[in-house]
Amino acid sequence: MAEPTQGRPIDILLVEPNPGDVRLTKEAFKDGRIRNDLHVVNNGQDALDYLEGQGEYEGRPRPDIVLLEINLPDMDGMDILTAIKESEKLETIPVIILSSSEAGEEIVRGYQLQANAYMTKPPDPDEFIQKIRTLANYWIQVVELPADCGL
């Protein structure tokens, strides 16, 4: 069984095609002094390969949290969410949707598919960084994350 998340950096998988949002997310984690290993993929297929440890991602660490943009160039992020929550190996990983969409139906659909949280990305970079810091403080410093139970 893998070690618990306490006392080690949190492994975060960021699924984000926008280089600007990747940069802001990295900045938020760095400036917030939150111990983490941030792994970034920019499309849905790479996200699925990473999560399953396939191809170039063989031997990668199992993420403790997935930050998922739903608007991806090659597939619907909701399909990735569904794949995670339907997988016995992955279903306990918290998935936080990050999206530019404030559409009520998207938010409802995310929660129906068992997203653990839905965050709308603000257009202002400073506000975006603050939201990511708040999200990180909650999910990394407040809640207990499930350890990889050897699945």
Side-chain angles (χ1 to χ4, degrees), residues 80-144:
I80 296 167
L81 174 60
T82 299
I84 293 169
K85 295 305 179 178
E86 289 180 350
S87 167
E88 191 175 311
K89 290 185 340 185
L90 305 172
E91 68 184 354
T92 60
I93 299 172
V95 178
I96 299 142
I97 294 174
L98 305 177
S99 180
S100 302
S101 174
E102 295 182 26
E105 61 273 3
E106 283 292 319
I107 296 169
V108 169
R109 185 170 172 231
Y111 284 114
Q112 286 173 334
L113 295 175
Q114 301 177 7
N116 297 85
Y118 189 107
M119 185 187 99
T120 303
K121 295 185 214 173
D124 177 66
D126 292 331
E127 192 178 334
F128 180 91
I129 289 171
Q130 185 56 44
K131 268 190 149 179
I132 292 292
R133 282 187 193 144
T134 301
L135 176 134
N137 283 330
Y138 177 75
W139 283 99
I140 296 173
Q141 297 181 342
V142 175
V143 302
E144 294 293 330

Side-chain angles (χ1 to χ4, degrees), residues 51-66:
L51 289 162
E52 292 294 333
Q54 297 176 351
E56 69 180 281
Y57 302 107
E58 186 176 347
R60 75 1 178 188
R62 179 184 189 268
D64 297 304
I65 297 174
V66 174

Side-chain angles (χ1 to χ4, degrees), residues 3-12 34-37 64 140:
E3 65 183 276
T5 57
Q6 305 227 342
R8 70 167 173 85
I10 301 300
D11 279 300
I12 302 167
I34 297 164
R35 292 184 61 214
N36 71 89
D37 290 324
D64 297 304
I140 296 173

